[in-house]
Amino acid sequence: MKIIYSFIIFQKTSEKHSKMAVIFESLLLYAGVIAVCTLTAIYFYFKRSWTYWKKRNVPYLEPTFPFGNFSDIVLQRKSIGEVFKKLYDQLDGNKYAGTYMFTKAEFLFRDPEIIKNVLVKDFSNFHDRGFYINEEREPLTGHLFLLPGTKWRNLRVKLTPTFTSGKMKMMFQTLVDCGQELGECLTETANNEEVIEIKDVVARFSTDIISSCAFGIQCNCLKNPDAEFRQWGRKIFEPTINNSLFSLLSFTVPALVDFLKIRPLDKKVTKYFRNMVEETVNYRERNSFKRNDFIQLLIQIKNKGTVDADCKNGHQNGHTISEKISDDNTMSMNCLAAQAFVFFIAGFETSSTTMQFCLYELTKNPDIQDRVRQEIDEILKKHDGKITYEAVQEMEYLDKVVSETLRKYPPVPILNRECTKTYHIPGTDVVLNEGDLTVIPVLGLHHDPKYYPNPEKFDPERFSEEEKAKRHHYAYLPFGEGPRICIGMRFGLMQTKVGLISLLSRYQFCVSKETPIPLVMEPKSVVLSPMGGMHLQIKKRVK
């Protein structure tokens, strides 16, 4: 009986397991059918989305599933600048064209005359950059670079007076002091003729300048590479999964960013920089402490809505400069912190990369290095050996060298604009709709042999007055153009030149076995940057 009972139980259990197996197989089948149907639906949705430019008779590059024309960016195989340069080159002969990032349509401008219209003449149709922004979730994104429309215009009016020649002169001594430290910190290294990673050195120089001017603190990164400010600054530019996800979704599905509450910055980074600004502002206001720096100018805007103008005796055009204006024009602490923050992220990376690319080209072209050093020596001698604001302005060949560096290696390799109202491109039958995203591929323009023959050659004479007059003004856009041109352009150039003068007046730079030739760009960086750093040999110069 026990055997029979056990057999019956076994049979029933087997039947139960068999039924479960059938159910499981059915579920797998249904799941497979649903997955296939979903993928098929997605595929055809993509295919339908990719007819956007064709229906509007706009030339376009054929996209591939699922990344459109930007698989190299999504898979981080090439930098964003290089990808857009490749698209620019593939579209030779066209003044414009359409592209796709996943299903998102994007319009690419190639013709300098049309670009001029977009950036200047018809700016009212393209005044926004089209980036995602949420000031409530991330206060530090409420800065001049990202803000749209009226918010941007009102803030630009307030901030423009902070970057006049007078204000540059006011902060100039800080740049010189940091340049002096930059030169001194490399003395022993140069005496030993060592190979150095120049990217880190000039990054610390830039950090010292901006921490002083934008945040009112002395972090001394050149003497202490592990300074707290430097460590937090690194975190901003560290590639993370969260940052990559935010960048991707904010462009393709911005609503999902809000739904998932993804932040562009780590909360700790936001807290550190925001608290630092607030503490500095509160200290200065409590103690009536003033300093010639950018944050002091922001404090003026915070309290009065404007900055003191560059004039004598506190008067200009018959009006008292310190006159208080309505509170509606003042600046909140969050807004003030956001402007100091963007001063850091915009000025740090762009200036330091320009310096390293410049030194890289000077090591490969020692004749150009000797010529620019000779100019530095001659002009500094006229100014009693001191780096003065006027001395820097007189260095014409140095200016050409920096301009050619920015031509060949523009730190910001593309310019984004969003069409804010229907726009008919002059001389064509193409109409852009409100919300259409557009891109100007700066790196592509700067390497177009039509404007710059033999574009890979480093030739500062491209920026002689005669050569500049031969080409279209809008074929050179390292800082953008028009009303949204980089507000800190002059400060960035001054910082770069002071750093180069401080180095070239003391040292020679040479190619080493570790110098990357040819350069490979970092695919994870938005700013054009070499992969693996920049190793150059440094020597004490022979006079």
Side-chain angles (χ1 to χ4, degrees), residues 369-384:
Q369 183 178 166
D370 290 341
R371 183 175 170 184
V372 73
R373 185 180 290 108
Q374 182 181 355
E375 180 188 65
I376 290 170
D377 289 347
E378 291 174 355
I379 292 178
L380 289 185
K381 186 176 181 181
K382 288 170 54 180
H383 292 264
D384 300 321

Side-chain angles (χ1 to χ4, degrees), residues 474-485:
Y474 287 78
Y476 180 68
L477 300 167
F479 297 98
E481 263 295 352
R484 285 201 88 141
I485 191 172

Side-chain angles (χ1 to χ4, degrees), residues 309-503:
D310 303 325
C311 60
K312 296 180 181 179
N313 303 321
H315 290 78
Q316 184 180 46
N317 299 328
H319 298 286
T320 302
I321 301 305
S322 60
E323 181 181 353
K324 187 173 177 67
I325 64 174
S326 69
D327 291 337
D328 292 340
N329 291 322
T330 56
M331 181 183 287
S332 69
M333 184 62 73
N334 277 345
C335 183
L336 190 154
Q339 308 326 308
F341 181 72
V342 76
F343 189 99
F344 174 71
I345 60 175
F348 160 75
E349 190 76 1
T350 54
S351 295
S352 59
T353 54
T354 300
M355 287 179 63
Q356 64 174 307
F357 281 129
C358 185
L359 291 171
Y360 172 75
E361 286 294 343
L362 293 180
T363 61
K364 295 201 303 173
N365 298 275
D367 54 327
I368 297 176
Q369 183 178 166
D370 290 341
R371 183 175 170 184
V372 73
R373 185 180 290 108
Q374 182 181 355
E375 180 188 65
I376 290 170
D377 289 347
E378 291 174 355
I379 292 178
L380 289 185
K381 186 176 181 181
K382 288 170 54 180
H383 292 264
D384 300 321
K386 297 178 180 178
I387 301 176
T388 65
Y389 184 86
E390 291 72 23
V392 177
Q393 301 301 314
E394 290 177 34
M395 296 181 186
E396 295 181 0
Y397 191 67
L398 174 63
D399 184 69
K400 292 178 183 177
V401 167
V402 172
S403 295
E404 174 67 348
T405 302
L406 290 168
R407 193 275 307 174
K408 194 172 179 183
Y409 308 99
V412 182
I414 65 171
L415 298 176
N416 299 76
R417 290 293 186 272
E418 180 181 4
C419 185
T420 52
K421 56 185 175 181
T422 303
Y423 180 71
H424 177 241
I425 300 178
T428 75
D429 59 356
V430 176
V431 176
L432 295 178
N433 294 327
E434 180 180 347
D436 280 348
L437 299 177
T438 71
V439 169
I440 298 168
V442 175
L443 186 64
L445 278 167
H446 286 193
H447 285 255
D448 191 331
K450 182 164 48 178
Y451 311 116
Y452 302 97
N454 193 9
E456 296 307 314
K457 180 183 178 182
F458 187 80
D459 182 10
E461 290 306 323
R462 297 184 200 273
F463 290 88
S464 67
E465 292 303 317
E466 181 182 359
E467 289 300 314
K468 286 193 292 185
K470 292 179 182 179
R471 63 177 173 265
H472 200 290
H473 178 72
Y474 287 78
Y476 180 68
L477 300 167
F479 297 98
E481 263 295 352
R484 285 201 88 141
I485 191 172
C486 175
I487 195 172
M489 176 182 70
R490 285 191 291 182
F491 185 91
L493 287 172
M494 188 64 67
Q495 175 180 324
T496 299
K497 290 177 181 178
V498 168
L500 291 171
I501 293 167
S502 302
L503 291 172

Side-chain angles (χ1 to χ4, degrees), residues 24-39:
F24 183 69
E25 288 175 1
S26 298
L27 287 174
L28 282 178
L29 179 62
Y30 291 141
V33 170
I34 291 171
V36 170
C37 290
T38 301
L39 289 173

Side-chain angles (χ1 to χ4, degrees), residues 63-112:
T64 56
F65 185 79
F67 305 121
N69 303 113
F70 297 97
S71 57
D72 284 338
I73 292 177
V74 179
L75 300 176
Q76 297 186 334
R77 294 189 297 224
K78 288 185 179 179
S79 71
I80 189 169
E82 291 175 302
V83 170
F84 272 98
K85 179 187 179 299
K86 181 180 178 181
L87 296 177
Y88 179 96
D89 293 340
Q90 289 175 338
L91 292 162
D92 188 30
N94 294 286
K95 293 184 176 182
Y96 49 79
T99 61
Y100 296 95
M101 168 74 85
F102 291 96
T103 60
K104 198 85 168 182
E106 198 164 51
F107 195 83
L108 189 146
F109 294 107
R110 293 186 81 259
D111 181 66

Side-chain angles (χ1 to χ4, degrees), residues 132-145:
Y132 171 88
I133 179 173
N134 187 326
E135 293 179 75
E136 292 184 8
R137 181 170 299 128
E138 181 47 78
L140 293 186
T141 59
H143 54 68
L144 194 64
F145 186 83

Side-chain angles (χ1 to χ4, degrees), residues 92-309:
D92 188 30
N94 294 286
K95 293 184 176 182
Y96 49 79
T99 61
Y100 296 95
M101 168 74 85
F102 291 96
T103 60
K104 198 85 168 182
E106 198 164 51
F107 195 83
L108 189 146
F109 294 107
R110 293 186 81 259
D111 181 66
E113 192 60 31
I114 296 178
I115 291 171
K116 176 183 177 181
N117 291 337
V118 169
L119 296 181
V120 182
K121 186 178 178 182
D122 300 314
F123 175 76
S124 61
N125 295 75
F126 297 93
H127 53 70
D128 293 349
R129 296 191 187 276
F131 291 122
Y132 171 88
I133 179 173
N134 187 326
E135 293 179 75
E136 292 184 8
R137 181 170 299 128
E138 181 47 78
L140 293 186
T141 59
H143 54 68
L144 194 64
F145 186 83
L146 292 181
L147 285 174
T150 303
K151 282 187 175 182
W152 165 78
R153 185 174 63 250
N154 292 341
L155 187 58
R156 178 85 184 201
V157 169
K158 293 178 187 177
L159 292 178
T160 296
T162 65
F163 289 98
T164 61
S165 297
K167 299 300 186 292
M168 293 300 98
K169 291 179 181 179
M170 182 182 80
M171 291 183 265
F172 186 75
Q173 191 55 45
T174 299
L175 274 65
V176 173
D177 292 342
C178 290
Q180 178 72 14
E181 288 190 18
L182 172 63
E184 290 174 355
C185 81
L186 293 174
T187 301
E188 184 177 348
T189 307
N191 288 340
N192 296 330
E193 298 189 357
E194 296 178 22
V195 174
I196 61 170
E197 205 288 278
I198 197 67
K199 179 180 180 179
D200 179 64
V201 175
V202 295
R204 284 187 276 142
F205 164 72
S206 294
T207 302
D208 276 351
I209 287 177
I210 295 173
S211 66
S212 180
C213 291
F215 294 90
I217 64 169
Q218 301 292 329
C219 67
N220 298 316
C221 290
L222 283 165
K223 295 179 180 177
N224 178 19
D226 297 320
E228 183 183 22
F229 188 92
R230 173 73 172 140
Q231 291 181 29
W232 282 101
R234 281 197 189 102
K235 291 182 182 295
I236 299 172
F237 300 100
E238 285 178 356
T240 65
I241 295 175
N242 184 76
N243 291 345
S244 299
L245 185 62
F246 174 83
S247 299
L248 181 62
L249 293 181
S250 64
F251 181 81
T252 55
V253 196
L256 200 55
V257 175
D258 283 328
F259 178 76
L260 298 175
K261 297 182 179 180
I262 303 173
R263 298 172 61 95
L265 294 170
D266 186 294
K267 284 185 178 180
K268 294 179 182 178
V269 172
T270 300
K271 183 178 179 181
Y272 175 79
F273 282 99
R274 208 261 183 211
N275 287 349
M276 180 189 297
V277 170
E278 186 170 14
E279 288 170 7
T280 300
V281 171
N282 290 340
Y283 174 82
R284 292 191 184 188
E285 291 183 336
R286 281 197 310 267
N287 297 280
S288 299
F289 177 83
K290 294 184 178 181
R291 190 169 178 266
N292 291 332
D293 56 21
F294 181 64
I295 203 165
Q296 191 66 43
L297 301 175
L298 292 178
I299 291 172
Q300 289 182 24
I301 298 175
K302 169 183 169 290
N303 295 330
K304 300 189 300 181
T306 187
V307 299
D308 294 341

